[in-house]
């Protein structure tokens, strides 16, 4: 189970998050928005078409009403009654006067209403008036219908006729019998007002764009008064099913199927004529308009998904990929490869994490190397000590036996030398530990110098001093004694009467300084600078006097950290001055020791402290 959890890495998690919170919501919202937007556009299209159809229908009603008002006016006009009366016809001048008045009125109507092509008045008394375009054609069918209605208005369907001015044209005409005003049962003549079918069709098409469908004007008996448009099948006329739907529907809109195609059907009834204006728009027209909107919305949806994929790629490249790379390098460190590093390619938090990882690897490597070197140095020191002794206890016991034998033989000076040699060996071993205190290290140095002084006599003078507050401070074993030994081996000037060396341990600037100074040969200035440079930059010594200095400095730096160790100081005159630096721990204890050359030894080796 744990292995499965580990295998579900950051990349898979990012893909799942992207799928759940970007792709699926975007697709869902896109489909819903597209569906809702399609409904809104559909409703807007239907509403706009209905408003346009209502507008043009009202305009057509107004035109038809104006034409019928002309017919009503002519019936009530006295000049018309006089012009058409059968009994007591007017004289020539009177007749011409009446005719002129009527023609003036009709001329005004023709000029103000350009959709009227011509007006014809034919009386039973033989008088007639022809205004507008002279036309010739068969109109008997509607004249007979007008006779049957005895004064009622008859509107024709669109029909062809010939005009002497325009040639073949199509008209929609009003036919009416003009009855006597005093005796309405007596017909005086016929009135024909002819309208240009193209003008009426143009009015209807202004509400419904030509390429968007067809418009019909249907009479009260289902007759086709007028048709315009071209997207319906050839020869189609409103059929019984369509007409029954027109009578049944109350919303002014429905969908009608014709030859496997759907049509959005709008209708509006004209009150004064009982005509119905029907507009049929193919569903494909609306679909074409919506197709552009759907394409735009799909483009937006794809753009959003593309941006999401780009964001996922950017997230993977800038966050997941660096983390996976850091994980890989961490595994290398885990396996012990401390050359692992991660590149720093930006200036963000991940770059800061990579930088800290690199620093951490360097620090771990340095700590391991320091610990390894320290342990190696201590093992070497222990090995040297073990090589220089066969058996410590056997050595101690043998020295004690020789010492007491010398005392029994009353050889006091030999006894003291043997005792100091025993102390020297005990201090050098120090129970196998590589650390000691400043006080114990000074005791070790004192034992060594005591023995060397007995060898050199008055030529050697030494002074040992430590502050009481730091006597118990822990330091590394064999750090001061090798420097003293270096002086006796390499720095002793045998031409001088007295060679002196001093060791002073004190606190300064929060550190413990242990100064080892002598009046021996010292170091040349160039060598002194080279030694300090090599100590600061970690170069190793080549052996001899400088090798011991480098060894002690490296041990102190490894144990106490950077900034601690040895430093060679400039002297005012002759001799060498080496300073050891370690941190101040605050432990108490201390001792001061000063030894002068002696000509006569005492029984107590500590008598001259």
């Amino acid at each position: 189970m744990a292995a499965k959890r580990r295998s579900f890495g950051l990349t898979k998690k990012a893909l799942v998050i992207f799928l759940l919170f970007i792709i699926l919501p975007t697709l869902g919202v896109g489909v819903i928005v597209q569906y809702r937007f399609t409904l809104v556009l559909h409703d807007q299209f239907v509403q706009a078409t209905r408003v346009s159809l209502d507008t043009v229908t009202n305009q057509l009603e107004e035109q038809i009403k104006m034409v019928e008002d002309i017919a009503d006016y002519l019936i009530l006009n006295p000049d018309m009654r006089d012009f058409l009366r059968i009994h007591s016809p007017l004289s020539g001048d009177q007749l011409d006067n009446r005719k002129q008045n009527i023609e003036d009125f009709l001329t005004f109507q023709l000029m103000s209403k350009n959709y009227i092509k011509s007006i014809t008045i034919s009386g039973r008394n033989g008088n007639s008036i022809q205004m507008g375009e002279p036309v010739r054609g068969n109109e008997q069918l509607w004249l007979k219908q007008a006779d049957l209605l005895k004064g009622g208005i008859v509107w024709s369907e669109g029909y062809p006729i010939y005009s002497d001015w325009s040639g073949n044209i199509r008209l929609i005409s009003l036919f009416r019998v003009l009855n006597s005003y005093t005796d309405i049962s007596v017909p005086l003549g016929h009135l024909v007002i002819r309208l240009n079918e193209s003008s009426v069709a143009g009015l209807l098409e202004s509400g419904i764009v030509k390429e968007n469908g067809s418009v019909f004007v249907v009479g009260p008996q289902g007759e086709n008064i007028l048709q315009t448009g071209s997207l319906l099948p050839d020869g189609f006329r409103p059929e019984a099913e369509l007409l029954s739907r027109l009578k049944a529907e109350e919303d002014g809109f429905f969908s009608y199927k014709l030859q496997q195609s759907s049509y959005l059907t709008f209708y509006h009834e004209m009150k004064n004529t009982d005509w119905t204006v029907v507009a049929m728009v193919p569903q494909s027209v609306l679909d074409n308009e919506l197709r552009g909107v759907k394409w735009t919305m799909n483009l937006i949806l794809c753009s959003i998904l593309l941006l999401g994929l780009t964001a996922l790629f950017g997230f993977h490249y800038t966050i997941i990929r660096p983390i996976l790379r850091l994980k890989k390098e961490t595994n290398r460190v885990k396996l012990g490869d401390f050359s692992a590093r991660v590149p720093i390619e930006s200036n963000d938090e991940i770059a800061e994490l990579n930088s800290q990882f690199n620093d951490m690897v360097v620090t771990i490597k340095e700590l391991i190397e320091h610990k390894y070197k320290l342990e190696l140095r201590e093992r070497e020191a222990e090995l040297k000590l073990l090589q220089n002794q066969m058996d410590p206890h056997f050595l101690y016991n043998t020295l004690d036996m020789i010492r007491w034998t010398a005392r029994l033989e009353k050889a006091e000076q030999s006894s003291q030398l043997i005792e100091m040699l025993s102390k020297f060996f005990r201090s050098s071993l120090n129970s196998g530990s590589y650390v000691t205190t400043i006080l114990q290290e000074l005791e070790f140095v004192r034992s060594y110098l005591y023995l060397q002084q007995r060898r050199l006599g008055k030529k050697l003078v030494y002074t040992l001093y430590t502050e009481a507050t730091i006597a118990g401070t822990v330091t590394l074993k064999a750090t001061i004694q090798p420097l003293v030994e270096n002086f006796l081996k390499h720095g002793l000037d045998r031409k001088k009467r007295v060679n002196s060396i001093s060791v002073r341990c004190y606190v300064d600037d929060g550190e413990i300084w242990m100064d080892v100074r002598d009046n021996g040969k010292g170091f040349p200035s160039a060598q002194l600078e080279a030694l300090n440079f090599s100590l600061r930059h970690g170069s190793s010594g080549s052996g001899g006097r400088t090798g011991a200095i480098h060894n002690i400095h490296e041990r102190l730096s490894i144990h106490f950290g950077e900034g601690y160790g040895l430093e060679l100081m400039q002297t005012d005159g002759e001799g060498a001055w080496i300073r050891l630096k370690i941190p101040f721990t605050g432990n108490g204890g201390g001792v001061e020791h000063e030894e002068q050359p002696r000509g006569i030894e005492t029984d107590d080796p500590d008598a001259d402290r």
Side-chain angles (χ1 to χ4, degrees):
M1 191 66 179
K4 292 183 178 179
R5 284 198 297 269
R6 284 195 298 271
S7 65
F8 199 71
L10 290 177
T11 302
K12 293 182 180 179
K13 290 181 180 178
L15 289 174
V16 171
I17 292 174
F18 176 76
L19 177 64
L20 293 179
F21 296 101
I22 296 182
I23 293 183
L24 293 181
T26 300
L27 290 176
V29 172
V31 171
I32 294 174
V33 170
Q34 189 177 90
Y35 173 74
R36 297 295 299 174
F37 195 67
T38 301
L39 291 181
V40 170
L41 291 179
H42 180 273
D43 293 341
Q44 288 181 349
F45 178 83
V46 170
Q47 188 65 24
T49 305
R50 292 179 63 176
V51 170
S52 298
L53 183 62
D54 292 346
T55 300
V56 298
T57 302
N58 290 334
Q59 292 177 356
L60 181 60
E61 285 181 345
E62 183 178 353
Q63 290 185 2
I64 298 299
K65 183 65 170 59
M66 288 182 179
V67 173
E68 291 180 348
D69 288 343
I70 294 173
D72 293 337
Y73 176 79
L74 291 176
I75 292 176
L76 299 176
N77 191 329
D79 293 333
M80 178 63 70
R81 291 198 301 270
D82 292 339
F83 181 74
L84 295 179
R85 69 184 181 180
I86 299 175
H87 303 289
S88 302
L90 298 177
S91 61
D93 293 338
Q94 291 177 333
L95 184 62
D96 292 339
N97 185 41
R98 300 294 189 275
K99 183 177 181 181
Q100 184 62 46
N101 291 337
I102 296 173
E103 288 178 348
D104 291 342
F105 170 75
L106 296 179
T107 300
F108 172 77
Q109 298 300 325
L110 288 170
M111 294 179 64
S112 61
K113 300 173 178 59
N114 57 4
Y115 52 85
I116 298 179
K117 276 287 187 181
S118 70
I119 300 176
T120 301
I121 299 174
S122 57
R124 291 179 180 271
N125 59 2
N127 296 331
S128 64
I129 297 176
Q130 175 68 41
M131 300 296 297
E133 293 187 25
V135 295
R136 287 176 289 160
N138 185 8
E139 300 176 333
Q140 294 301 316
L141 174 63
W142 295 287
L143 289 173
K144 291 178 181 180
Q145 292 179 5
D147 290 337
L148 293 176
L149 290 181
K150 298 179 179 181
I153 295 176
V154 175
W155 282 96
S156 71
E157 300 177 5
Y159 63 95
I161 202 168
Y162 182 80
S163 170
D164 293 336
W165 293 356
S166 306
N168 293 321
I169 59 175
R170 290 185 62 84
L171 301 175
I172 297 176
S173 301
L174 178 148
F175 296 88
R176 187 174 188 179
V177 174
L178 298 176
N179 293 324
S180 171
Y181 180 73
T182 57
D183 188 358
I184 59 174
S185 62
V186 178
L188 300 179
H190 290 94
L191 171 66
V192 181
I193 302 177
R194 301 176 183 88
L195 308 183
N196 188 358
E197 185 185 61
S198 61
S199 297
V200 177
L203 176 63
L204 295 175
E205 289 173 352
S206 65
I208 306 296
V209 182
K210 291 181 181 180
E211 58 269 19
N212 280 1
S214 298
V215 180
F216 298 90
V217 178
V218 181
Q221 304 302 322
E223 64 273 22
N224 189 22
I225 304 297
L226 175 66
Q227 178 180 354
T228 179
S230 59
L231 289 185
L232 295 179
D234 294 338
F236 173 77
R237 295 293 183 271
E239 52 194 15
E241 180 183 357
L242 177 60
L243 296 177
S244 63
R245 290 284 300 275
L246 293 177
K247 295 179 181 179
E249 297 289 342
E250 297 180 356
D251 296 334
F253 161 77
F254 59 90
S255 181
Y256 183 74
K257 195 167 187 180
L258 177 64
Q259 295 185 4
Q260 307 302 320
S261 298
S262 295
Y263 293 84
L264 302 176
T265 305
F266 306 86
Y267 62 93
H268 186 94
E269 294 182 356
M270 299 175 60
K271 297 179 181 178
N272 58 341
T273 60
D274 291 333
W275 290 353
T276 300
V277 179
V278 181
M280 300 182 67
V281 181
Q283 181 69 40
S284 59
V285 174
L286 178 58
D287 293 339
N288 289 334
E289 292 187 6
L290 295 178
R291 186 175 294 112
V293 176
K294 291 180 179 179
W295 186 87
T296 302
M297 295 190 68
N298 289 333
L299 179 62
I300 295 174
L301 187 62
C302 293
S303 300
I304 294 175
L305 294 177
L306 181 61
L307 290 175
L309 287 173
T310 304
L312 177 63
F313 177 78
F315 181 79
H316 175 79
Y317 185 80
T318 59
I319 297 179
I320 296 179
R321 183 168 170 264
I323 292 177
L324 295 178
R325 184 167 52 196
L326 181 60
K327 174 188 173 184
K328 178 181 177 182
E329 298 301 320
T330 303
N331 288 333
R332 290 179 57 189
V333 175
K334 179 181 177 182
L335 296 175
D337 183 4
F338 292 100
S339 64
R341 297 292 186 275
V342 288
I344 301 175
E345 302 171 346
S346 61
N347 194 25
D348 54 11
E349 288 78 1
I350 291 182
E352 183 179 356
L353 181 63
N354 291 342
S355 177
Q356 292 178 357
F357 172 80
N358 293 338
D359 294 341
M360 181 187 69
V361 173
V362 172
T363 303
I364 293 175
K365 182 179 179 181
E366 291 178 351
L367 290 175
I368 291 176
E369 289 180 351
H370 287 184
K371 181 176 176 59
Y372 171 76
K373 289 180 179 179
L374 180 61
E375 291 180 352
L376 182 61
R377 294 295 183 187
E378 298 305 329
R379 295 298 178 269
E380 289 177 353
E382 291 177 3
L383 180 60
K384 287 182 179 180
L385 291 174
L386 290 175
Q387 289 174 346
N388 292 331
Q389 56 185 344
M390 295 175 56
D391 187 342
H393 296 288
F394 172 76
L395 180 62
Y396 299 154
N397 294 334
T398 302
L399 288 176
D400 284 343
M401 180 188 67
I402 296 173
R403 173 179 173 239
W404 286 108
T405 301
R407 285 203 172 191
L408 290 174
E409 293 175 352
K410 296 183 179 182
E412 296 297 335
Q413 188 173 0
S414 299
S415 175
Q416 290 177 8
L417 291 173
I418 294 171
E419 182 179 359
M420 294 306 294
L421 180 62
S422 177
K423 286 184 178 182
F424 176 77
F425 284 133
R426 289 181 184 271
S427 298
S428 65
L429 293 176
N430 196 18
S431 302
S433 176
Y434 64 88
V435 295
T436 184
T437 64
I438 292 178
L439 179 61
Q440 290 172 341
E441 181 68 10
L442 290 179
E443 287 289 346
F444 181 40
V445 174
R446 188 177 72 85
S447 300
Y448 175 77
L449 287 174
Y450 180 86
L451 294 173
Q452 292 295 334
Q453 190 185 57
R454 291 300 178 268
R455 181 176 66 87
L456 297 174
K458 295 181 180 181
K459 286 189 175 183
L460 177 63
V461 176
Y462 64 89
T463 303
L464 305 178
Y465 168 80
T466 180
E467 292 181 353
T469 56
I470 62 173
T473 302
V474 175
T475 185
L476 293 183
K477 185 173 64 176
T479 53
I480 300 177
Q481 187 272 336
L483 298 178
V484 174
E485 185 176 352
N486 260 354
F487 163 67
L488 294 175
K489 285 184 178 180
H490 306 288
L492 196 68
D493 190 354
R494 298 187 180 276
K495 296 178 181 180
K496 290 184 178 181
R497 292 181 62 254
V498 177
N499 288 269
S500 64
I501 185 169
S502 67
V503 179
R504 294 182 57 83
C505 303
Y506 56 96
V507 177
D508 193 304
D509 196 21
E511 297 177 339
I512 295 177
W513 291 357
M514 293 176 279
D515 292 343
V516 180
R517 301 189 65 172
D518 62 67
N519 65 345
K521 297 178 182 179
F523 297 96
S525 179
Q527 186 183 12
L528 186 68
E529 293 179 1
L531 279 172
N532 278 327
F533 180 83
S534 63
L535 291 177
R536 287 193 299 268
H537 294 83
S539 300
S540 59
S542 59
R545 187 177 184 184
T546 59
I549 292 174
H550 282 91
N551 183 275
I552 296 171
H553 176 76
E554 183 178 3
R555 292 174 59 212
L556 291 173
S557 298
I558 293 174
H559 186 80
F560 294 108
E562 294 294 331
Y564 299 105
L566 268 62
E567 181 180 2
L568 276 68
M569 312 298 293
Q570 291 285 352
T571 59
D572 297 336
E574 57 188 0
W577 180 4
I578 301 177
R579 174 171 292 167
L580 292 83
K581 296 180 181 180
I582 64 173
F584 177 48
T585 61
N587 294 332
V591 68
E592 178 181 354
H593 176 78
E594 183 172 351
E595 185 72 36
Q596 300 294 338
R598 297 180 299 178
I600 302 175
E601 297 296 332
T602 64
D603 293 338
D604 186 0
D606 297 330
D608 294 321
R609 284 186 184 179

